[in-house]
Amino acid sequence: MAGVVNKNEIYTGEVIDFTHEGHGVVKFDRYPIFVPNAIKDETISFKVIKVKKQFAIGKLISIEEASKDRIEPPCEYYKVCGGCQLQHLSYNAQLEMKKEQVINLFKRKSHFEDTIIHDTVGMENPWHYRNKSQIPVGKNKSGEIELGFYRQRSHDIVNIDHCMIQDEKHDLIMKKLKQLLDETNISIYNEQKHKGELRHIILRTGYYTGETMVIFVTNSKQLSHKNKIIDFIQTEFENVVSIKHNINLEKSNVIMGHTSHTLYGKDTITDKLSEYEFKISDTSFYQINPTQTEKLYHKALEYAQLDGEETVIDAYCGIGTIGSYMSQKAKHVYGVEVVEQAIENAKENAQINHIDNATWEAGKAEEIILKWQQEGVKPEVVMVDPPRKGCDQTFIETLIELSPKRIVYISCNPATQVRDVELLKNSGYQLKEITPVDMFPHTTHVETVALIEKIRE
């Protein structure tokens, strides 16, 4: 179909849809052109900047007829920073777009016509929700230190003073640390040369407790000016209860290394979800948006349909957050997670919350679950919350062999979720309903929780 449009030519067309990346879609003779920052139902002029066999990429030149859902992005860095993609779209339209993404994946591209897909669960105030900030550190051409976020599709740092989606406490810490780093003249990591010391600063804050952890990630075994940095943070920020040094000597895009030391204060910070308290280490997986996490977990608990008699397996259990929710209504919860540190946290969190009907074990989910099965564990419900790549094929096969009545599947990537649910469908399961939850407002990400039930052997 290439040849319908030509590179560097300017065209006018109507935007008829969104891509999963939030770009507007214009079609000429069924040939799609994807245009960033364009909104469905707008008439736009655009320049074609890339032409491929199946699609083209356009650059928005002007809006001839604007959508009623177009708004002025409130963030001054929005046009250059890659942290958000949808600030030009009204929040209600964002929620609708995310529901449409899920409908598109499950009903139009796959065959789940009978599945109920609910409206996206949104936030009352969709700003300053991120409890974790991963801030790259760099230097500009003048040698000044830059802290911020990456430009879209690059590793160039956008130097910022504040971010409208991160915890407001992080803005102040970021600003003051920039001044301190300038004063100490600390060596800054250069990604191309793999030289220099300070790579990233990571901030984690307990939403309900206000406790903050500051993590310095270095390309060195020691943190220079360590005592000066500790004294400064102690003096300036009384909410910082933990300062850590993480060592990452690898030449890679992975932000954190495997070794961390506590330089000051506690090894962990504490936060709450509903009535449960959790200790969070620097490497723990913990949901970014606590108010939405509570809504997500309540929906998962509702889908599990527990009445106190069920055995639940929580695969990919992390530090035990979902398992703790399930334990209040289950007979027994078995949690498995490949990261050993997370399992140690899960055991500690169970003690803190007086949960005595839970077992936690480190290892690959498919291996530990088979071991439990041999020990006579027969779950009625399996709770699944895998990483973005979805479930391992072997795990899906193990799940089918385990044959639970219900599977509650939380996903941060519905594209891999639909693949996994197709496999379950072929083995006697039915996808009953899905609820999208907006965990990351103003970005294109959508989280989903799905109820999958056994209908035949």
Side-chain angles (χ1 to χ4, degrees), residues 82-358:
C84 298
Q85 302 85 44
L86 299 177
Q87 281 194 26
H88 61 289
L89 190 61
S90 74
Y91 189 55
N92 283 340
Q94 290 182 34
L95 298 179
E96 186 56 40
M97 186 194 103
K98 292 180 183 190
K99 179 183 179 180
E100 278 297 312
Q101 279 185 9
V102 178
I103 289 171
N104 200 31
L105 276 170
F106 283 88
K107 296 203 173 198
R108 296 187 191 121
K109 292 185 178 172
S110 295
H111 299 288
F112 294 102
E113 289 87 358
D114 298 330
T115 300
I116 300 163
I117 296 178
H118 295 280
D119 289 345
T120 309
V121 178
M123 292 186 78
E124 283 175 41
N125 177 19
W127 302 102
H128 299 295
Y129 58 82
R130 286 188 66 98
N131 58 15
K132 181 182 182 182
S133 302
Q134 300 186 135
I135 304 159
V137 186
K139 275 193 174 179
N140 63 17
K141 287 173 183 170
S142 310
E144 294 166 329
I145 287 178
E146 296 184 313
L147 298 183
F149 299 104
Y150 293 126
R151 290 178 198 275
Q152 287 193 18
R153 294 183 174 82
S154 87
H155 270 214
D156 297 336
I157 295 172
V158 177
N159 192 37
I160 68 171
D161 284 328
H162 59 87
C163 169
M164 294 191 67
I165 62 170
Q166 76 180 3
D167 190 306
E168 287 176 283
K169 295 184 204 69
H170 296 185
D171 292 342
L172 184 61
I173 294 173
M174 198 167 66
K175 251 193 253 185
K176 296 242 178 172
L177 282 181
K178 195 185 291 182
Q179 293 167 6
L180 174 71
L181 297 176
D182 268 328
E183 286 168 23
T184 58
N185 202 22
I186 194 168
S187 157
I188 303 300
Y189 181 67
N190 181 305
E191 200 174 32
Q192 281 76 37
K193 296 177 181 173
H194 188 52
K195 284 191 163 49
E197 184 178 332
L198 186 61
R199 298 173 73 131
H200 270 79
I201 294 170
I202 300 170
L203 308 174
R204 301 192 80 156
T205 293
Y207 179 78
Y208 290 101
T209 63
E211 291 188 351
T212 295
M213 176 185 285
V214 181
I215 308 153
F216 294 91
V217 183
T218 68
N219 178 43
S220 57
K221 292 186 177 176
Q222 301 297 324
L223 174 64
S224 302
H225 311 287
K226 178 176 76 176
N227 293 336
K228 186 171 184 178
I229 289 169
I230 292 167
D231 290 346
F232 178 84
I233 292 172
Q234 273 184 275
T235 306
E236 293 285 337
F237 311 110
E238 59 183 37
N239 58 305
V240 174
V241 298
S242 175
I243 303 173
K244 304 202 83 158
H245 174 210
N246 177 269
I247 298 164
N248 181 5
L249 306 178
E250 300 296 317
K251 188 175 184 180
S252 81
N253 289 340
V254 177
I255 292 174
M256 292 184 76
H258 299 295
T259 307
S260 287
H261 306 295
T262 303
L263 302 179
Y264 161 78
K266 305 194 291 183
D267 294 331
T268 57
I269 57 169
T270 304
D271 201 16
K272 292 181 83 168
L273 287 174
S274 294
E275 65 268 40
Y276 298 104
E277 201 171 283
F278 296 101
K279 283 194 171 181
I280 306 152
S281 71
D282 53 327
T283 55
S284 297
F285 171 75
Y286 185 70
Q287 292 279 10
I288 291 289
N289 186 336
T291 55
Q292 290 298 91
T293 300
E294 290 186 0
K295 296 174 191 175
L296 181 76
Y297 288 1
H298 281 305
K299 183 54 73 173
L301 190 56
E302 179 192 312
Y303 281 172
Q305 300 165 45
L306 304 175
D307 61 15
E309 296 303 311
E310 293 85 2
T311 297
V312 177
I313 286 181
D314 176 9
Y316 310 95
C317 72
I319 61 171
T321 46
I322 303 175
S324 299
Y325 265 68
M326 296 286 168
S327 70
Q328 63 185 304
K329 294 198 172 176
K331 184 179 178 183
H332 200 93
V333 173
Y334 291 83
V336 58
E337 165 64 55
V338 74
V339 181
E340 286 188 25
Q341 176 64 51
I343 287 295
E344 291 307 309
N345 289 152
K347 288 175 180 175
E348 199 174 354
N349 289 329
Q351 279 185 326
I352 291 167
N353 294 298
H354 310 292
I355 294 166
D356 53 12
N357 61 335

Side-chain angles (χ1 to χ4, degrees), residues 299-305 326 381-385 406-410 449-452:
K299 183 54 73 173
L301 190 56
E302 179 192 312
Y303 281 172
Q305 300 165 45
M326 296 286 168
V381 177
V382 173
M383 177 74 234
V384 182
D385 186 5
R406 278 182 298 285
I407 298 164
V408 180
Y409 188 150
I410 290 177
V449 53
L451 169 59
I452 304 157

